[in-house]
Amino acid sequence: MKQRIDAILADIENLKCKKEQEIEEARVRLLGKKGEITRLFEEFRNVAPEMKKEFGKSLNLLKNAAAAKIEELRNSAEESNEASGASFDLTKPGDSYPLGSRHPVSIVREEIVSIFRKLGYDVAEGPEIEDDWHVFEALNFPPEHPAREMQDTFFISASDNPVLLRTHTSSVQVRAMETMPLPIRIICPGRVFRNEAISARAHCIFHQVEGLYIDENVTFADMKQAILLFAREMFGAETQIRMRPSYFPFTEPSAEVDVSCNICHGKGCNICKGTGWLEILGCGMVDPNVLEASGIDSKKYSGFAFGMGVERIAMLKWQVKDLRNYFENDLRFLKEFETAY
Ligand code: DAH
């Protein structure tokens, strides 16, 4: 019996069949009802009791080795069939792909855009690689303004009109004023770049939405109303806004806008640092110098502009404290927004 077991074992090791039919024949020959191994199990009954332990063990090993070899041959036959497309089973169910979800930054950007679309704003876009004229010069930045320094801006080439990565989407206003017919009412979502060390509160790449409205007789009160409507759509109908005087080279007068804290409703909490207010955007009346630089008659036309950070609005909306979450694309974080829209 020992010799027969060894002979079958050697036979199994040398099995090389590739076709499914041959593999099935080998299985029947070894493990089928009348197969060689099955027959050995029948003969096992007649083995002397003192030999049963040893033979029993080798027989079981033999049976397992045969089953494993058949399985291995079947798998490799299947793989090579798939690779060659030989027997592609069209009736097999397809592999299902997990469905992705929208990125929280996209969700908020689209929400901002859709609110302003309802107010009659069109979407305008401009290049991320810009020149000094559209990012700084036409927006009334004085030559020695710190934003023009290497430590704040990524420059690509130096010349009279250096090429750089735009540091804000205000550059799109300039392109719009240069090319679009008046009146202009646009919203400009886009990616911006600043030479900042990455931390929980700052990143070198982020997103902004810029707004611009130019027509005859546009007033500060119009701007305040547009921003109030936006704030209530975004943060809830009870939201209050307040404006603080500020400075931007391209607007005069300029303001920073805060919304009443949507967590504590003005009572003071750790999100609003006890003040009851959260800063959301910068805005102002377009400086006459900026209108004139783009060829618009500042005696006839006036306008307002505003700009906000998309990640900042998203952080306030969902109380995410670390900005880096928005860039690391950790699926566990992104999945939390699956049902946000
Ligand atoms: N461009 C400004 C920034 O990046 C944001 C901004 C402030 C835009 C005031 C405006 C504005 O249009 O009027 O910080």
Side-chain angles (χ1 to χ4, degrees):
M1 188 176 242
K2 170 113 180 54
Q3 276 167 3
R4 280 164 62 201
I5 292 178
D6 288 344
I8 300 174
L9 254 183
D11 181 29
I12 291 172
E13 265 167 36
N14 293 328
L15 262 183
K16 284 208 177 66
C17 29
K18 284 195 180 127
K19 292 202 184 119
E20 271 166 46
Q21 200 187 335
E22 287 168 5
I23 300 169
E24 180 59 12
E25 278 165 16
R27 189 193 67 80
V28 171
R29 179 162 52 79
L30 294 166
L31 297 164
K33 267 192 189 154
K34 292 184 182 144
E36 292 169 30
I37 297 176
T38 320
R39 254 185 285 143
L40 281 179
F41 270 93
E42 278 159 17
E43 285 170 32
F44 180 68
R45 267 185 256 141
N46 308 326
V47 169
E50 67 274 16
M51 306 292 280
K52 273 207 151 97
K53 197 172 169 199
E54 188 194 332
F55 280 127
K57 203 171 160 195
S58 346
L59 260 182
N60 276 325
L61 285 176
L62 178 67
K63 190 177 153 192
N64 293 343
K69 183 74 183 186
I70 299 286
E71 175 77 15
E72 183 194 313
L73 290 171
R74 276 197 182 136
N75 286 344
S76 62
E78 217 168 84
E79 269 170 28
S80 70
N81 273 346
E82 272 168 21
S84 67
S87 71
F88 190 74
D89 184 356
L90 289 172
T91 63
K92 268 190 174 176
D95 293 335
S96 62
Y97 286 95
L99 204 58
S101 56
R102 282 201 294 163
H103 194 281
V105 171
S106 304
I107 295 173
V108 169
R109 185 197 58 217
E110 281 167 30
E111 197 174 344
I112 298 169
V113 168
S114 94
I115 294 170
F116 281 103
R117 269 190 192 280
K118 279 194 260 176
L119 298 176
Y121 288 72
D122 287 328
V123 172
E125 283 179 345
E128 293 177 345
I129 299 174
E130 261 293 7
D131 54 20
D132 184 273
W133 169 260
H134 291 93
V135 175
F136 299 127
E137 191 71 35
L139 287 165
N140 206 30
F141 276 80
E144 72 287 358
H145 193 284
R148 291 183 161 198
E149 295 291 318
M150 294 291 278
Q151 58 266 35
D152 292 299
T153 303
F154 291 111
F155 285 91
I156 292 172
S157 77
S159 67
D160 289 348
N161 183 20
V163 176
L164 43 90
L165 295 180
R166 68 180 177 194
T167 54
H168 54 182
T169 43
S170 304
S171 54
V172 186
Q173 327 182 347
V174 179
R175 291 196 172 265
M177 289 190 285
E178 285 171 346
T179 55
M180 288 172 77
L182 292 161
I184 295 173
R185 186 149 44 179
I186 53 163
I187 195 94
C188 325
R191 199 156 55 146
V192 300
F193 307 85
R194 287 190 196 171
N195 198 351
E196 302 250 11
I198 295 171
S199 71
R201 299 174 59 87
H203 208 283
C204 54
I205 302 177
F206 56 101
H207 299 80
Q208 286 188 331
V209 175
E210 180 84 11
L212 177 71
Y213 178 29
I214 299 175
D215 201 349
E216 291 177 37
N217 304 317
V218 176
T219 66
F220 198 95
D222 296 329
M223 175 171 80
K224 196 173 162 194
Q225 188 61 16
I227 291 172
L228 179 64
L229 283 170
F230 162 73
R232 292 197 166 158
E233 286 274 322
M234 193 77 203
F235 295 103
E238 312 287 286
T239 308
Q240 302 291 323
I241 61 167
R242 80 173 179 186
M243 292 183 144
R244 287 176 287 109
S246 185
Y247 171 77
F248 300 102
F250 34 92
T251 44
E252 184 59 39
S254 306
E256 257 154 314
V257 177
D258 300 338
V259 289
S260 50
C261 178
N262 57 337
I263 308 303
C264 64
H265 304 286
K267 287 195 206 85
C269 65
N270 66 345
I271 298 286
C272 61
K273 301 203 184 73
T275 64
W277 295 96
L278 301 162
E279 187 189 320
I280 57 158
L281 55 80
C283 63
M285 300 307 290
V286 181
D287 193 300
N289 285 347
V290 172
L291 294 172
E292 297 290 341
S294 297
I296 294 175
D297 181 356
S298 63
K299 302 243 167 17
K300 190 165 174 213
Y301 290 98
S302 58
F304 64 77
F306 54 86
M308 66 187 98
V310 179
E311 284 82 2
R312 165 131 190 107
I313 304 277
M315 282 169 97
L316 298 178
K317 199 172 156 72
W318 290 307
Q319 288 100 55
V320 174
K321 297 222 178 73
D322 193 329
L323 183 67
R324 288 168 292 197
N325 284 314
Y326 289 119
F327 302 96
E328 281 165 3
N329 284 335
D330 183 329
L331 288 179
R332 289 166 301 181
F333 173 73
L334 298 182
K335 286 236 174 253
E336 290 186 36
F337 300 89
E338 250 175 352
T339 53
Y341 233 59

